[in-house]
Every structure is written in structure tokens, then in C-alpha cells.
Amino acid sequence: MAAGRLISLLATLFLSVSLLLLWFTLLSGITSTSPLRQTYFLRADTSGITGARGISQWTYFRICGIDNTDCGPARPGLPLGDAWATDADNVPRELIGSYGGGTTSYQYWYLWRFGWVFYLIALFFMTCAFLGSWLACLGRLGAGLIATVSSVGLLFLSVAVALMTATFVKTRNAFIADGRNADLGAYGFGFSWGSWAAMFIATVLYCVARRGHASDGVGRTNKRWSGSTFGRRKSSGTAGSRRSWDGRRVKDEYA
């Protein structure tokens, strides 16, 4: 199997892993089965806050209780302050504000809002790259096209994961500064950053595959050129021998 094709298949494998981990991230809170039951971005002590659970876990579509149970309604782009009531008491001052129906400060509203949008854009480009990944096995042009689409997907995924990380690390710190227990979700962060790492490797491999296809093409061209040259030399040598033999026979007949 040509090097370019083999590398393209390996890149598609990493792209598949990246998509799988991203779906685990996005579907957190939808069901109570593993590993989605353990997937959340932040768990914090929200006891004593107006309208909040004793323990709140932030997932992609919902705010849930412990082990992603007792979840609120699923909806896209929910505000960070959806865990408590409007103008709630005892919320860390940094987190509450006039956004999201009087539940969230402008900084956390936009941090998580834009992070959510970039996740969706990244998912779109990653899916396009996966559906067209077979083109990367056909030649240099196909590998270059998929490498470009993967690069765009990687760019948006990088921004999404960075914004998610900033949002919930800052939120955790705000809860801790307020004297409350809070910790980041190992599964949520692990799936997100694992998806980014696999996507990065896939993008690099698609770029390498493009060069691999180019090298394969040069090798085939050189082989064809060498074969044709050898054939011409062999033919020339045979013709020369024939002419030489014909010449000697003519001389012998006239001798």
C-alpha cells in the first residue's frame, strides 16, 4: 500500500476518535448511563443559594445534581447561572449579573456562550472532514483538501476548548474564593482535551499524507522513466548489433 494512502487511513482513525470524544462531551447530562453519567465540566457546592440544588454539576445541555441526576430541562446555550434563580442570594459576586435573566455576569455569559458556539462550528467541520476522508486516500489533491478542512475544524475546536477551560477554571476559583467546595470534571475535561489532541494528530497526518502522495507520484514517474530509458537502450543496442552483423555478412558475400 502506498505511503500516502496508509497515512491517510491512520489520520482518519484519529479523526474518528476525536469525533467520538467530542460527542461524549456534547451529550453529557442527556442520560445517566456511563460514561455520560460521570461527564460534567464543574461540580460545586451551591447549597444556600436561592433556587439551587445542594450540589450542582454543569454539563453541555443541562445543570444537574450529583451523578448527573435531578437535571433541569435540556436546552442549548444555557447560561452559567441557570443553576440558581433570578437575582439569587449567596451567589459568588463574580458570577451573578444581569445576563441570562438576571443570573449571570456578562463575562461568564459570553465566555461560555462563545465556547458553546465554537464547539458546534468545530463539530460541523470535523464531520465534513470525516465524511470526505476517503478523498485523502485518492491522491495529493484529496489529502490537501481534507487537511485544509481538518485545520479549520482544529482551529475552532482549539478556541472552544480554551474558552471552556477558562470558563470553568475561573468559575471553580470563584466558588473556592467564596468558601465553597468546587472541582473540575475529569471526564468532561479529559474528553474535550482528548478530542483536541486526536484532532491535532489527524490534521498533521493529513498534511504528511499529502506529501506522501507526492512522493509516491515522483517514485512512479521515475520508475516509468527508468524503464523506458532502459528499453530504448536495449533496443538501440539490438539494432546496432543487427546492423553490424548485416554489414559483416555483406562484406563476406563480396569477398
Side-chain angles (χ1 to χ4, degrees):
M1 182 180 290
R5 188 174 303 172
L6 181 61
I7 297 172
S8 296
L9 291 175
L10 185 60
T12 302
L13 176 62
F14 276 98
L15 176 58
S16 303
V17 172
S18 180
L19 271 171
L20 177 64
L21 295 178
L22 183 58
W23 275 112
F24 281 158
T25 302
L26 301 185
L27 294 177
S28 58
I30 297 298
T31 178
S32 58
T33 58
S34 295
L36 301 181
R37 180 171 60 85
Q38 296 92 353
T39 305
Y40 57 88
F41 297 113
L42 176 72
R43 175 190 289 171
D45 174 17
T46 51
S47 58
I49 297 177
T50 307
R53 303 164 182 81
I55 298 291
S56 295
Q57 292 185 172
W58 279 259
T59 68
Y60 195 81
F61 280 108
R62 293 176 171 181
I63 308 294
C64 300
I66 194 74
D67 292 331
N68 285 351
T69 58
D70 186 28
C71 298
R75 58 194 180 96
L78 51 83
L80 187 75
D82 200 55
W84 46 76
T86 300
D87 299 324
D89 296 325
N90 302 320
V91 182
R93 183 178 302 177
E94 184 181 341
L95 303 180
I96 195 166
S98 59
Y99 289 77
T103 62
T104 311
S105 67
Y106 78 94
Q107 180 182 11
Y108 288 89
W109 167 266
Y110 284 113
L111 272 175
W112 180 226
R113 197 79 168 183
F114 277 101
W116 174 78
V117 170
F118 278 103
Y119 267 119
L120 294 183
I121 298 175
L123 177 63
F124 171 77
F125 281 101
M126 291 167 65
T127 303
C128 289
F130 178 75
L131 293 178
S133 59
W134 58 274
L135 293 172
C137 297
L138 299 182
R140 183 181 180 185
L141 181 61
L145 176 62
I146 301 304
T148 301
V149 178
S150 296
S151 298
V152 176
L154 177 64
L155 173 63
F156 284 108
L157 183 62
S158 300
V159 176
V161 174
L163 287 175
M164 181 276 294
T165 301
T167 300
F168 290 106
V169 168
K170 287 173 65 66
T171 304
R172 179 203 60 182
N173 294 342
F175 277 110
I176 292 176
D178 198 51
R180 297 176 178 272
N181 294 325
D183 57 82
L184 302 174
Y187 280 77
F189 274 73
F191 288 150
S192 294
W193 280 103
S195 177
W196 181 88
M199 189 62 187
F200 177 80
I201 295 173
T203 303
V204 171
L205 287 176
Y206 280 127
C207 294
V208 174
R210 181 176 180 273
R211 299 185 63 180
H213 282 301
S215 299
D216 293 339
V218 171
R220 287 193 295 270
T221 301
N222 290 340
K223 188 179 296 184
R224 287 195 297 269
W225 184 86
S226 299
S228 60
T229 302
F230 177 76
R232 286 196 300 272
R233 288 178 178 173
K234 184 176 181 181
S235 299
S236 300
T238 303
S241 300
R242 186 180 298 111
R243 286 195 299 270
S244 176
W245 183 83
D246 290 343
R248 286 198 300 272
R249 190 176 67 173
V250 171
K251 289 180 181 179
D252 291 341
E253 289 177 355
Y254 281 94

